């Protein structure tokens, strides 16, 4: 990913927030004699990491079907995990000035490292944490323990892993190179009733402007 200082995210907690709020990730491996292998899966910030889920050391926890893990030869080599935050098309019309061309605003993080395969007990903990992560948004969360016997049975076909980040690159391209009034005009356009409306992206643009 092209590194541009104006768009670079370096705050570890901001990167963790991106992962926590956009946990559906893309796992990419290069497997010898097979080439590129790509899977999509939920990945969390590991609360039990060396910094308790905070600080400078980022640890991820995830799971995927054992057959997919075998395709990746998970644990045998380094991988990249990609997290995609809010993103969307930006029309030049919204700037209300020229010259401008269409662009795409986005927030993304790439986490590099070598996964560590977990045993059955820790894998089940990752499954439980994953369910809790998404269910906690409900007033009455559903818990995996409600189907404990069934869940343990199908968990045998799942591979859990943790990954301590060896390198993280994160980028928020949110019109930081535009004047403040232009940013607000574009953000306003993203909240109107039109084909490319994206209120979450508008919020990210406004938040980024406040952080500058």
């Amino acid at each position: 990913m092209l590194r541009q200082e104006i768009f670079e995210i370096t705050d570890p907690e901001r990167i963790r927030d991106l992962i926590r709020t956009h946990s559906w990730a893309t796992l990419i491996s290069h497997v010898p004699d097979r080439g590129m292998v790509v899977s999509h899966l939920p990945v969390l910030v590991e609360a039990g990491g060396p910094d308790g889920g905070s600080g400078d050391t980022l640890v991820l926890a995830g799971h995927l079907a054992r057959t997919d893990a075998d395709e990746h030869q998970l644990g045998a080599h380094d991988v990249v995990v990609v997290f995609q935050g809010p993103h969307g098309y930006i029309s030049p019309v919204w700037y209300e000035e020229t010259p401008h061309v269409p662009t795409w605003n986005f927030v993304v993080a790439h986490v590099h490292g070598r996964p560590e395969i977990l045993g059955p007990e820790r894998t089940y903990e990752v499954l439980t944490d994953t369910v809790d992560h998404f269910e906690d948004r409900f007033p009455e969360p559903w818990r995996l323990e409600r189907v404990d016997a069934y869940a343990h049975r199908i968990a045998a076909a799942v591979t859990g892993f943790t990954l301590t980040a060896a390198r993280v690159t994160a980028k928020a391209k949110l019109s930081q190179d535009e004047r403040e009034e232009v940013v607000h005009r574009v953000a306003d356009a993203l909240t109107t009733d039109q084909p490319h409306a994206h209120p979450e992206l508008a919020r990210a643009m406004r938040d980024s402007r406040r952080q500058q």
Side-chain angles (χ1 to χ4, degrees):
M1 181 165 59
L2 176 63
R3 301 185 68 172
Q4 297 166 281
E5 186 175 353
I6 190 173
F7 301 134
E8 192 171 10
I9 305 175
T10 57
D11 179 7
E13 194 55 34
R14 190 177 171 193
I15 295 171
R16 283 181 173 83
D17 285 343
L18 169 62
I19 296 170
R20 292 184 183 113
T21 55
H22 297 84
S23 300
W24 185 245
T26 302
L27 172 68
I28 305 168
S29 303
H30 184 268
V31 179
D33 303 323
R34 187 174 301 173
M36 304 301 294
V37 179
V38 180
S39 292
H40 305 276
L41 67 161
V43 179
L44 310 179
V45 174
E46 173 59 46
D51 297 302
S54 62
D56 292 334
T57 304
L58 175 63
V59 181
L60 306 178
H63 72 279
L64 69 171
R66 180 162 296 172
T67 51
D68 289 333
D70 291 344
E71 286 290 312
H72 283 272
Q73 297 180 6
L74 204 66
H77 49 74
D78 291 350
V79 303
V80 183
V81 185
V82 178
F83 297 91
Q84 178 70 67
H87 63 94
Y89 176 80
I90 305 299
S91 171
V93 174
W94 302 337
Y95 294 99
E96 298 181 10
E97 61 183 36
T98 59
H100 276 96
V101 295
T103 190
W104 202 276
N105 279 2
F106 61 89
V107 183
V108 68
H110 297 177
V111 182
H112 301 249
R114 181 165 299 193
E116 178 182 346
I117 304 301
L118 304 177
E121 184 175 338
R122 280 286 290 119
T123 292
Y124 197 79
E125 290 177 2
V126 171
L127 292 173
T128 300
D129 290 344
T130 302
V131 171
D132 290 349
H133 175 76
F134 294 103
E135 284 287 330
D136 281 346
R137 303 177 188 182
F138 291 109
E140 298 181 10
W142 185 91
R143 300 304 185 197
L144 196 59
E145 62 189 21
R146 291 178 58 178
V147 291
D148 190 64
Y150 172 72
H152 271 93
R153 186 165 69 252
I154 64 173
V158 172
T159 296
F161 67 90
T162 58
L163 184 150
T164 300
R167 179 163 61 95
V168 180
T169 56
K171 188 173 183 178
K173 179 184 172 294
L174 298 170
S175 300
Q176 295 97 321
D177 52 346
E178 299 289 348
R179 301 192 321 279
E180 183 170 0
E181 59 267 30
V182 173
V183 172
H184 287 297
R185 280 203 295 269
V186 173
D188 287 345
L190 287 166
T191 62
T192 60
D193 184 15
Q194 46 90 6
H196 297 287
H198 199 322
E200 185 186 10
L201 181 58
R203 286 194 298 273
M205 291 176 63
R206 293 186 176 114
D207 288 346
S208 178
R209 175 59 60 171
R210 284 193 292 268
Q211 292 165 2
Q212 282 185 284

